[in-house]
Amino acid sequence: MSSQLNVFLNGEFLPLADAKISVLDRGFLFADGVYEVIPAYAGKLFRLQQHLDRLNSSLAAIRMQPVMTDLQWSKILNKLLEPHAQSDQSVYVQVTRGAGVNRNHQLPEQYEPTMFAMCQPIVTDSLDTIANGISAITLDDIRWDWCHIKSVALLGNILLKQQACDQHCTEAILLRDGFATEGSASNVFIVNNKRLITPPKSHHLLPGITRDLVLELSMQAGIDCVEREISELELFSADEIWLTSSTKEIMPVIELNRQAVGKGQPGDVWQQVASHYSQFKEQLRLL
Ligand code: PDD
């Protein structure tokens, strides 16, 4: 990212190189903060309301009030996107509990939140590669029990992701007590006998915005959709496996733990839903 590009920090727009926070920021010391990643196509924010609602739910879960109104966020994020009307961007938003006077585990009674936002290009080449199908491995979900919060404490997620990368795979599908929860940075779906299955929302997974849209579009397309637990056994015998996220959209998994998933290529149901997803995106571009 160019250091000349403007970012937003605590009410100001300034070049990245000039954006500074205190070393006493609780986000830095304790990962005491939450974030969002919002895609924007041709300058238009995708599912903004849903992302802002989730931001406020994450804040509430860590005992913080909303730091701004939705309208204020919308103005800020749109201003950041002004120079990028021709490209697809991913907008990063982070809110922490701000800097204390010293390092203290206890939550401060009063605080000035740190509010940060920036954007960076979504790499469409990598989306095209992803559409050919990715490889994944399964790993034990070693993370904490509050994975529904979009917390900046991502050490568990990044170490799991790295284990997948070390094995030349794109993602890790996480298993807790014999059931798939989600990917290290994505939600999981399987297709079995044309039925689309994804784990129900719980404290063990992030309520993904892409997950919800994929369910919505699949139901509209007349696909049988079920939210229920997916056992490890079922995962390995699935006809199709998909992983979804805002920046990677719907990734067809064609290989799991070095074994082919289904026919070892992106499946028919994926083709159908991915095409509806693209159409949905294109409509937004034209608005
Ligand atoms: N992560 N689960 C986890 C653990 C994630 O980190 C993400 C996305 C998702 C998918 O959520 P959504 O569809 O709302 O993007 C599920 C983002 C993209 C990130 O951390 O960069």
Side-chain angles (χ1 to χ4, degrees):
M1 206 180 149
S2 155
S3 56
Q4 294 308 310
L5 271 181
N6 274 352
V7 300
F8 169 83
L9 182 65
N10 298 330
E12 277 186 273
F13 291 90
L14 66 184
L16 178 67
D18 298 338
K20 301 271 170 21
I21 59 157
S22 164
V23 288
L24 287 182
D25 195 280
R26 294 180 63 91
F28 178 59
L29 293 178
F30 298 113
D32 185 359
V34 297
Y35 76 106
E36 275 300 321
V37 176
I38 312 167
Y41 303 110
K44 305 204 175 85
L45 288 153
F46 193 66
R47 304 241 120 178
L48 176 65
Q49 190 58 53
Q50 288 86 343
H51 281 279
L52 292 178
D53 288 348
R54 187 174 63 185
L55 176 67
N56 287 333
S57 307
S58 295
L59 285 170
I62 68 160
R63 302 182 183 212
M64 282 180 71
Q65 301 292 329
V67 290
M68 268 193 268
T69 64
D70 292 350
L71 187 62
Q72 283 168 320
W73 273 123
S74 164
K75 284 186 179 156
I76 289 162
L77 304 184
N78 279 306
K79 191 169 159 66
L80 275 181
L81 284 168
E82 267 170 21
H84 306 288
Q86 305 310 320
S87 64
D88 293 348
Q89 298 277 313
S90 120
V91 180
Y92 179 80
V93 174
Q94 177 169 336
V95 178
T96 78
R97 213 180 305 265
V101 286
N102 54 21
R103 180 175 180 274
N104 184 350
H105 285 70
Q106 194 178 353
L107 299 185
E109 269 172 31
Q110 286 182 350
Y111 58 86
E112 280 289 324
T114 300
M115 299 173 288
F116 173 62
M118 63 174 177
C119 46
Q120 60 186 51
I122 295 180
V123 190
T124 33
D125 282 2
S126 101
L127 282 181
D128 292 343
T129 313
I130 283 168
N132 293 328
I134 61 156
S135 299
I137 52 168
T138 52
L139 290 175
D140 275 346
D141 194 347
I142 47 111
R143 302 170 304 158
W144 71 334
D145 267 331
W146 285 5
C147 297
H148 61 296
I149 304 172
K150 203 159 170 62
S151 157
V152 293
L154 288 175
L155 198 50
N157 302 62
I158 63 174
L159 290 175
L160 289 162
K161 171 88 167 187
Q162 191 55 45
Q163 282 192 58
C165 296
D166 291 345
Q167 296 191 37
H168 308 288
C169 289
T170 306
E171 251 292 35
I173 301 180
L174 310 179
L175 297 169
R176 196 185 278 257
D177 304 323
F179 292 92
T181 52
E182 59 179 343
S184 74
S186 53
N187 289 111
V188 66
F189 287 79
I190 62 166
V191 176
N192 244 342
N193 297 323
K194 303 277 171 209
R195 170 180 278 184
L196 184 61
I197 308 165
T198 194
K201 288 182 186 171
S202 77
H203 283 194
H204 290 155
L205 56 105
L206 188 79
I209 308 298
T210 321
R211 171 197 181 277
D212 286 354
L213 180 57
V214 163
L215 279 177
E216 210 177 292
L217 295 175
S218 302
M219 280 189 250
Q220 276 170 21
I223 295 166
D224 180 15
C225 301
V226 188
E227 292 175 72
R228 65 154 173 80
E229 302 289 356
I230 299 169
S231 72
E232 186 173 357
L233 203 70
E234 221 180 346
L235 185 69
F236 279 98
S237 57
D239 299 330
E240 300 182 27
I241 302 177
W242 314 342
L243 294 168
T244 63
S245 88
S246 293
T247 45
K248 304 281 163 55
E249 305 182 357
I250 317 174
M251 299 178 268
V253 179
I254 54 169
E255 198 186 68
L256 185 64
N257 294 0
R258 305 273 164 249
Q259 287 172 42
V261 174
K263 296 182 185 136
Q265 59 189 48
D268 296 344
V269 186
W270 176 82
Q271 302 281 3
Q272 193 187 350
V273 175
S275 127
H276 285 296
Y277 194 91
S278 295
Q279 279 166 28
F280 190 91
K281 257 172 56 179
E282 293 316 311
Q283 278 164 12
L284 179 78
R285 243 187 252 283
L286 298 175
L287 281 182

